[in-house]
Amino acid sequence: MEKPAASTEPQGPRPVLGRDSVQVPDDQDFRSFRSECEAEAGWNLTYSKAGVSVWVQAVQMDRTLHKIKVNHLLGSWETLLPHPPLSPLSLSTRTPPRQALATGRGEERSRCRMECRDVPAETLYDVLHDIEYRKKWDSNVIETFDIARLTVNADVGYYSWRCPKPLKNRDVITLRSWLPMGTDYIIMNYSVKHPKYPPRKDLVRAVSIQTGYLIQSTGPKSCVITYLAQVDPKGSLPKWVVNKSSQFLAPKAMKKMYKACVKYPEWKQKHQPHFKPWLHPEQSPLPSLPLSELSVQHADSLENIDESAVAESREERLGGAGGEGSDDDTSLT
């Protein structure tokens, strides 16, 4: 498939900000997303230590937004390109960022990039799609499942995840779409409403304005992944969440995702090795759903939760990463 040319200027996330009805992203949306991922101007370096760097960019829209970009090279553990995984690693293709993107009140915009020297682009793409494997390595996940198929490269699904204690946990319903572009790949999502999955009383319903990944192959066994997100966590979050995200959670989360990628080929050989509906849509067991049954999830229709005064729990202070779990990866076998 011919690789679409990236625009020289960011065009902004069209799927939600530019639309009042639910639509499956088209080629222009994917080109716009790629352009946003590749844009570099306007970042301010706010943290750099032990191979990890964090940049912040304020974005003026209807209110103040923030971008966060973390730089880390996995494999050789040297400083290189920008990337803190989406949450610091709720790296789900459905989830918006949580701790790492919790920069205060209202919506957040973040961008992260990671270079993997010994992980092929197609492996990383499979890891981000494989919902059964996610349940093995993502200790943040509470519940995740696909709901229905919209087209051959779009579906709708649910994801809930743990936040640092004692913050309330979050969930989202998102429309996810994906597109292979030669040796590169894009996966992106935005929040929608599904009549059978209203907000739950025990969770805060967050809103993904636009979240996604650009995976670029740099060789037969190496790639660069860029994560871009604009999300409203629905509430005011405490400063300690922000500080802990950039200085502890993001590096730890990236390391965890990298380990998952390295171990995925061996795991997949033992677990339906030929079942990859994201590559072979005829394998999908999901029921079809017409777009007319979905509506865009606007943030202003959901309750805001003020957690700005919530103190960090003793467990968190002693090193608990808010559900990040340990570095033990024995579950990936």
Side-chain angles (χ1 to χ4, degrees):
M1 184 180 298
E2 184 179 353
K3 187 185 300 183
S7 171
T8 57
E9 295 183 2
Q11 303 173 33
R14 294 177 61 238
V16 172
L17 297 183
R19 296 175 178 170
D20 292 324
S21 62
V22 174
Q23 298 180 39
V24 174
D26 58 21
D27 289 348
Q28 183 179 345
D29 292 312
F30 282 104
R31 287 194 297 267
S32 173
F33 181 81
R34 182 177 189 131
S35 179
E36 289 279 313
C37 287
E38 294 176 338
E40 293 295 338
W43 295 96
N44 298 313
L45 182 66
T46 60
Y47 175 84
S48 182
K49 183 179 179 181
V52 177
S53 298
V54 179
W55 291 262
V56 173
Q57 183 181 67
V59 179
Q60 295 296 327
M61 294 181 69
D62 57 340
R63 48 182 161 172
T64 299
L65 308 179
H66 290 83
K67 282 182 170 183
I68 300 177
K69 179 168 65 174
V70 175
N71 179 10
H72 196 67
L73 172 64
L74 289 181
S76 61
W77 295 97
E78 301 168 2
T79 304
L80 236 145
L81 300 173
H83 172 85
L86 43 142
S87 44
L89 223 270
S90 240
L91 275 170
S92 168
T93 54
R94 296 206 180 279
T95 181
R98 61 186 183 88
Q99 302 104 312
L101 310 185
T103 55
R105 183 179 179 82
E107 299 163 2
E108 269 87 38
R109 198 174 188 199
S110 69
R111 187 175 66 192
C112 324
R113 190 175 297 138
M114 174 173 65
E115 180 171 326
C116 301
R117 287 187 175 174
D118 50 0
V119 174
E122 57 268 26
T123 297
L124 185 46
Y125 183 65
D126 288 347
V127 168
L128 291 175
H129 269 293
D130 199 322
I131 195 170
E132 294 305 318
Y133 190 55
R134 171 161 300 280
K135 295 173 184 177
K136 292 288 185 179
W137 68 268
D138 183 2
S139 56
N140 295 317
V141 64
I142 298 173
E143 186 177 15
T144 183
F145 52 86
D146 298 327
I147 297 172
R149 175 169 51 90
L150 302 174
T151 67
V152 294
N153 68 325
D155 61 18
V156 61
Y158 175 85
Y159 185 92
S160 60
W161 70 99
R162 298 179 181 88
C163 289
K165 296 178 181 178
L167 299 182
K168 292 186 176 180
N169 297 325
R170 261 74 175 171
D171 72 351
V172 285
I173 300 287
T174 60
L175 185 157
R176 178 183 61 172
S177 56
W178 55 92
L179 180 67
M181 300 178 299
T183 58
D184 299 343
Y185 306 88
I186 287 179
I187 307 172
M188 59 186 185
N189 75 64
Y190 65 93
S191 283
V192 294
K193 293 181 183 178
H194 190 293
K196 294 184 179 180
Y197 299 93
R200 292 168 46 172
K201 293 182 178 180
D202 59 328
L203 296 168
V204 176
R205 177 63 51 89
V207 177
S208 170
I209 309 299
Q210 185 177 54
T211 302
Y213 303 88
L214 168 64
I215 305 169
Q216 296 171 293
S217 177
T218 56
K221 295 184 178 180
S222 62
C223 64
V224 172
I225 179 171
T226 302
Y227 170 78
L228 179 68
Q230 184 171 332
V231 61
D232 189 336
K234 296 311 300 175
S236 300
L237 303 175
K239 188 175 181 180
W240 64 264
V241 173
V242 181
N243 293 337
K244 189 163 190 175
S245 295
S246 62
Q247 299 181 27
F248 175 71
L249 296 178
K252 182 174 182 179
M254 291 194 307
K255 182 179 178 181
K256 193 168 189 178
M257 187 197 66
Y258 173 74
K259 286 184 176 181
C261 289
V262 171
K263 290 182 173 289
Y264 180 72
E266 180 182 359
W267 180 89
K268 188 61 175 174
Q269 282 299 315
K270 302 175 183 177
H271 300 84
Q272 294 184 289
H274 302 295
F275 181 72
K276 295 184 178 182
W278 53 93
L279 297 178
H280 310 291
E282 69 277 4
Q283 295 179 345
S284 176
L286 297 175
S288 296
L289 181 73
L291 285 175
S292 59
E293 294 195 19
L294 303 173
S295 58
V296 175
Q297 177 67 75
H298 294 290
D300 55 10
S301 67
L302 295 169
E303 180 184 4
N304 268 311
I305 306 297
D306 186 357
E307 297 177 290
S308 59
V310 172
E312 186 175 13
S313 69
R314 183 173 182 273
E315 179 182 349
E316 290 290 332
R317 289 196 302 272
L318 293 177
E324 290 293 345
S326 70
D327 287 333
D328 179 20
D329 53 6
T330 55
S331 63
L332 304 182
T333 56

